[in-house]
């Protein structure tokens, strides 16, 4: 196992009715800004519950944070906070609202051009406003991590940053708040969480016994409940399990002390930036091809994945590996998530542009051994056509 530091200060308030606990979590004298997305949090009653829990507090609101939150919109929130001298943030929504809130929390405290936060990947952040979240969409794990992905509309760039100063203080996870999700978003969430686990697990054997078994149990659980959370949208236990699994998939635990990949995510971000494909859908297209192209480097873990996650014990090693990848694809497809670029009418002529974007963003040596060069990324994209 590699040396590691583990730090996660986020308090979790999990379960039905926990929104009422907001009053205990938000300081009584806070000058608060509630940030939310489009109309879903208003329509499903989450915002009403939040307002009721914070009745009597000094509260402003900022709505309109888009899916794939943009720098342009978020900078308007920064202006509001500075003008009104607000000092505590509350994100109500999915990964986009939470990511956007992380950026806002850091940008308010930053004196230079706030886009520096993205180009330095968070290294320039030295202070951030405190904030909490009320999660409405299990998928990204953003509710319990310190990463954020922001899009600059003007230049069609989608970049990630991370900094320990932007962990949420607390996150409320009430599974009933997910009942109103469109099934497409539920399927996206299952696939996003699945790929988060794979990016931290499917690298090379590194002796992280607990991390491996933990990752495998999360993968097996997602395979088991993925179709059910879609078939039974208001089954509390299924939604509760799904919500907690998605959080555990990216709160740092399974990735501590083991190598991590993230090449699939970096290529996926370029697909979203250029073609507006939902985040999880880009991953479903890239991951299977990534595993095939890097089969040799990932051989040890692919065999372990085949054996422990898909129960493949018979046949030669190559057949088991190929079957495990095919089963992964079939799992995504069973959730109605395509695994080929052609489903988005993206052809070979798109690849040069995507590679140029990766190059422009310094994504030239990705993966657990930094061996995913632009040439490897090109082959991955060709394999996903
Ligand atoms: O805008 P509203 O009206 O609220 O609708 C949203 C949005 O259209 C809707 N929604 C959310 N909760 C709902 C609901 N609709 C009905 N009922 C509810 N309870 O769902 C749509 C998608 O929301 P969004 O927040 O964009 O989805 P998700 O949570 O999948 O977040 C995706 C973003 O997170 C980033 C992605 O790149 C993408 O920008 N990621 C963040 C990560 C992190 N911080 O660690 C890691 C991930 O890999 C990912 O990159
Ligand atoms: Zn993701």
């Amino acid at each position: 196992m590699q040396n590691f530091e583990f730090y996660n200060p986020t308090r979790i308030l999990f379960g039905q009715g926990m929104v009422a606990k907001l009053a205990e979590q938000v300081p009584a004298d806070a000058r608060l800004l509630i940030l939310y997305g489009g109309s879903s949090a208003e329509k499903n009653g989450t915002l009403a519950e939040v307002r009721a829990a914070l009745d009597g507090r000094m509260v402003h609101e900022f709505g309109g944070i888009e899916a794939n939150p943009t720098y342009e919109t978020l900078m308007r929130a920064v202006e509001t906070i500075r003008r009104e001298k607000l000092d505590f943030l509350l994100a109500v929504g999915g990964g986009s609202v939470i990511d956007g809130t992380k950026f806002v929390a850091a940008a308010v405290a930053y004196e230079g051009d706030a886009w520096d936060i993205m180009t330095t990947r968070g290294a320039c952040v030295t202070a951030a406003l405190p904030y909490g979240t009320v999660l409405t969409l299990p998928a990204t794990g953003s509710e319990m991590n310190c990463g954020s992905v922001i899009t600059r509309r003007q230049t069609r760039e989608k970049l990630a940053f991370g900094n320990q100063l932007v962990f949420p203080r607390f996150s409320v996870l009430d599974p009933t708040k997910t009942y109103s999700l469109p099934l497409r978003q539920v399927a996206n969430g299952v696939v996003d969480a699945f790929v988060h686990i794979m990016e931290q697990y499917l690298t090379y054997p590194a002796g992280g016994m607990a991390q491996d078994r933990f990752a495998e149990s999360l993968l097996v659980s997602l395979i088991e409940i993925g179709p059910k959370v879609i078939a039974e949208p208001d089954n509390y236990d299924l939604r509760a399990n799904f919500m907690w699994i998605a959080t555990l998939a990216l709160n740092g635990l399974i990735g501590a002390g083991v190598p991590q990949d993230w090449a699939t995510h970096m290529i996926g971000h370029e697909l979203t930036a250029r073609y507006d494909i939902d985040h999880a859908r880009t991953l479903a297209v890239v991951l299977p091809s990534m595993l095939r192209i890097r089969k040799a480097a990932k051989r040890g873990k692919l065999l372990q994945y085949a054996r422990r996650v898909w129960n493949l014990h018979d046949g030669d090693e190559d057949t088991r590996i190929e079957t495990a990848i095919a089963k992964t694809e079939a799992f995504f497809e069973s959730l109605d998530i395509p695994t080929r670029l052609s489903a988005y009418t993206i052809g070979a002529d798109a690849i040069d542009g995507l590679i140029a974007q990766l190059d422009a963003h310094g994504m030239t040596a990705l993966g657990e051994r930094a061996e995913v060069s632009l040439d490897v990324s090109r082959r991955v994209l060709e394999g996903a056509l």
Side-chain angles (χ1 to χ4, degrees):
M1 213 193 302
Q2 302 168 354
N3 293 358
F4 67 90
E5 283 183 26
F6 181 78
Y7 172 71
N8 194 318
T10 305
R11 178 191 301 271
I12 297 294
L13 298 114
F14 191 96
Q16 182 158 17
M18 293 302 249
V19 172
K21 298 241 179 204
L22 279 177
E24 294 165 17
Q25 300 303 319
V26 177
D29 58 350
R31 296 176 59 82
L32 187 67
L33 183 67
I34 297 175
L35 300 101
Y36 58 95
S39 55
S40 76
E42 189 79 71
K43 277 194 201 144
N44 71 8
T46 308
L47 269 178
E49 233 177 278
V50 167
R51 289 179 189 127
L54 296 169
D55 192 28
R57 305 297 184 93
M58 214 296 298
V59 177
H60 280 67
E61 293 188 4
F62 183 90
I65 297 178
E66 321 81 337
N68 305 309
T70 67
Y71 164 81
E72 288 85 352
T73 298
L74 298 168
M75 287 312 288
R76 289 196 288 108
V78 170
E79 278 169 32
T80 305
I81 293 163
R82 288 185 175 148
R83 190 178 61 240
E84 304 294 336
K85 302 194 172 15
L86 308 178
D87 58 18
F88 200 100
L89 311 179
L90 182 65
V92 180
S96 292
V97 174
I98 301 175
D99 281 11
T101 301
K102 287 175 181 169
F103 177 80
V104 169
V108 169
Y110 187 70
E111 286 182 4
D113 173 358
W115 190 247
D116 294 348
I117 296 169
M118 305 313 301
T119 54
T120 66
R121 312 289 182 215
C124 70
V125 175
T126 55
L129 282 186
Y131 74 96
T133 89
V134 176
L135 181 68
T136 63
L137 198 177
T140 63
S142 188
E143 65 279 6
M144 200 179 173
N145 70 36
C146 66
S148 162
V149 191
I150 304 299
T151 297
R152 190 157 188 165
R153 196 184 299 133
Q154 189 197 9
T155 52
R156 282 199 164 261
E157 284 173 286
K158 187 175 190 201
L159 302 180
F161 89 95
N163 190 295
Q164 296 206 339
L165 293 166
V166 297
F167 271 107
R169 291 281 171 98
F170 63 84
S171 284
V172 177
L173 277 58
D174 177 345
T176 66
K177 297 290 163 276
T178 73
Y179 290 170
S180 58
L181 278 169
L183 296 182
R184 173 194 178 97
Q185 297 298 344
V186 180
N188 282 354
V190 172
V191 169
D192 194 18
F194 192 94
V195 179
H196 293 159
I197 303 161
M198 293 290 273
E199 298 265 41
Q200 299 164 89
Y201 165 74
L202 221 148
T203 56
Y204 53 85
M209 291 173 68
Q211 296 90 322
D212 278 7
R213 293 283 190 194
F214 191 178
E216 287 152 1
S217 80
L218 295 174
L219 291 170
V220 170
S221 302
L222 275 177
I223 292 164
E224 185 182 326
I225 68 169
K228 296 185 194 161
V229 284
I230 291 170
E232 300 172 43
D234 47 10
N235 180 323
Y236 181 84
D237 284 333
L238 287 174
R239 287 293 163 108
N241 276 292
F242 172 37
M243 203 168 206
W244 189 226
I245 290 167
T247 301
L248 292 171
L250 196 51
N251 71 350
L253 268 178
I254 62 169
V258 297
Q260 303 191 14
D261 186 338
W262 299 108
T264 293
H265 267 70
M266 294 308 124
I267 297 175
H269 289 337
E270 302 301 354
L271 281 165
T272 300
R274 215 171 165 88
Y275 299 104
D276 276 333
I277 304 172
D278 293 353
H279 171 63
R281 287 168 184 257
T282 67
L283 307 176
V285 164
V286 177
L287 181 77
S289 179
M290 182 72 73
L291 296 179
R292 287 199 178 96
I293 298 294
R294 295 167 67 202
K295 212 187 289 195
K298 289 180 177 290
R299 190 173 181 86
K301 270 305 189 56
L302 277 167
L303 284 165
Q304 184 177 325
Y305 172 63
R307 190 170 64 251
R308 293 195 191 167
V309 175
W310 293 107
N311 283 313
L312 299 168
H313 303 280
D314 303 326
D316 64 61
E317 292 189 346
D318 288 317
T319 309
R320 270 181 270 149
I321 289 174
E322 186 43 51
T323 307
I325 299 172
K327 281 183 173 287
T328 310
E329 265 173 338
F331 175 58
F332 297 162
E333 296 274 357
S334 77
L335 303 171
D336 223 10
I337 303 231
T339 53
R340 294 281 154 182
L341 284 169
S342 56
Y344 304 98
T345 60
I346 294 174
D349 54 334
I351 293 179
D352 281 346
L354 290 162
I355 295 297
Q357 276 176 277
L358 283 168
D359 195 13
H361 299 144
M363 303 293 167
T364 55
L366 301 171
E368 61 273 22
R369 286 199 166 99
E371 59 192 14
V372 181
S373 60
L374 293 178
D375 183 51
V376 175
S377 291
R378 177 181 292 280
R379 284 191 281 130
V380 169
L381 287 164
E382 285 168 355
L385 285 172

